[in-house]
Structures are given as structure tokens and as C-alpha cells.
Amino acid sequence: MRRVLTALAVGVVGVVMAIPAQAAGGGPPFQAGPKQGDQFTQTSADPNTGEVSIFQLNIRQAAAVNCAGQGPMATLETTQPADGIHSVAVAYKDASWTDTVVLNVDVVGSRSGALGHGAVLGQKQGASGTVNIPLFAVPQPGETMTTIFGLQVHAGCLPSQPVGIWGSRPFEMGKVTFTSVTAG
């Protein structure tokens, strides 16, 4: 009986200790960030799971010199004290998107403004990785820092001729799960 109680106590302590460790690691839940799109787009950003997705249907008239509409953008964000921070790392998994989708990360200080930027370009299929962003400015003492991360797409046109339609594709889409945001 004593062994069972000891094992149970160790298990409970392990669970209780794991809860603060996850929050300290910068994983979900995150906060909802900016989203945009037009009537041809769909965006989703779930702060509880870290999953972000975008879809753009390119049914507008495309041309080499005319790009109509807004591409979709869906983001999440975190806010924290900026004291002593020199870099930010944003980890992701299960990333799949067409080649005109960009995984974008912006770091902004409440008083300093832009502090850093990172991006992942090119088509992905089931990829995982980390975007490491060294800050290009030192945050001011006492300010807060917001890291905005997500996916965005072009405005509905490309500079070359894919699939016989000048400057456009039938659709663009992407999906990724953000697993953590850490600052160091």
C-alpha cells in the first residue's frame, strides 16, 4: 500500500510540475493576432492549439501588371517583458504550403518599434523547424515585446506565367502548427 501511495504521489507531483514548465516554454495557448483577407480568402488561427491556416481562391482577373485584392494573413502572437532579450525563436511543425505562402515572424517593442524579423520561404510539405531571430535593436528598459507569427499569401498574382494563365494560379493555401516561442 505504501508503494502505491508513493508512486501516486510521484505521479501527481510530476503532473503538477509539468504544467508550469509548458507555460514557461512559450507553447500554446497563444493570443490571437491580426488577420486579413478579402471575399476570396479564408483564414484561421487557433490560439489554443497553435494551428494557423490560410486559403486563397484566385478567381479574380489576373494580369502581368494588375494584382487585385488582398492576400490572406492569419497570425498568433505572444507578449512578454523585453528586458534582457537579445533573440526570439519560433518553432513550428506540420508545415505544408504552396510556394507563394510565407511563414512570417515580426518582433515589435512597445516603445522601440520593430526589433526583428524572420521568414520561411518556398513550398513546404510536412516540414518542421525553428525561425531564429536575433534582435537588431536592444529593447528599452521596462518595455514589452510582442512576437507576431503566422502565414500570409501574395495578393493574387505572380510575375511569371504558370499553367497557361498569365500571372495567377487557381488557389494558394497553407497550414502550420506553432509549438513554441522562446526569447533569450
Side-chain angles (χ1 to χ4, degrees):
M1 181 71 170
R2 188 174 183 175
R3 286 185 188 176
V4 171
L5 290 176
T6 302
L8 184 59
V10 168
V12 168
V13 168
V15 169
V16 170
M17 290 178 69
I19 292 170
Q22 183 179 5
F30 300 113
Q31 300 155 351
K35 290 178 12 177
Q36 76 176 21
D38 59 18
Q39 70 269 27
F40 303 109
T41 64
Q42 181 179 23
T43 62
S44 173
D46 186 341
N48 294 316
T49 64
E51 189 173 289
V52 173
S53 63
I54 56 176
F55 179 81
Q56 174 176 290
L57 182 60
N58 289 333
I59 63 173
R60 54 196 136 228
Q61 181 67 40
V65 295
N66 183 20
C67 302
Q70 292 181 331
M73 175 180 71
T75 65
L76 298 168
E77 64 184 36
T78 62
T79 302
Q80 65 189 72
D83 293 338
I85 303 297
H86 299 286
S87 65
V88 173
V90 177
Y92 62 93
K93 67 177 186 176
D94 304 328
S96 297
W97 60 73
T98 56
D99 65 346
T100 57
V101 175
V102 176
L103 185 150
N104 193 45
V105 182
D106 289 310
V107 182
V108 180
S110 59
R111 286 184 255 158
S112 299
L115 294 171
H117 175 260
V120 178
L121 307 171
Q123 184 174 357
K124 301 291 178 199
Q125 184 65 40
S128 297
T130 302
V131 181
N132 294 303
I133 304 158
L135 301 186
F136 49 75
V138 177
Q140 295 179 19
E143 77 175 310
T144 59
M145 179 179 74
T146 301
T147 304
I148 304 166
F149 48 98
L151 297 176
Q152 63 186 62
V153 179
H154 65 83
C157 65
L158 295 172
S160 61
Q161 183 177 0
V163 196
I165 301 171
W166 183 256
S168 189
R169 295 189 176 137
F171 64 88
E172 304 295 347
M173 58 193 247
K175 183 176 181 182
V176 64
T177 301
F178 291 97
T179 57
S180 68
V181 176
T182 55

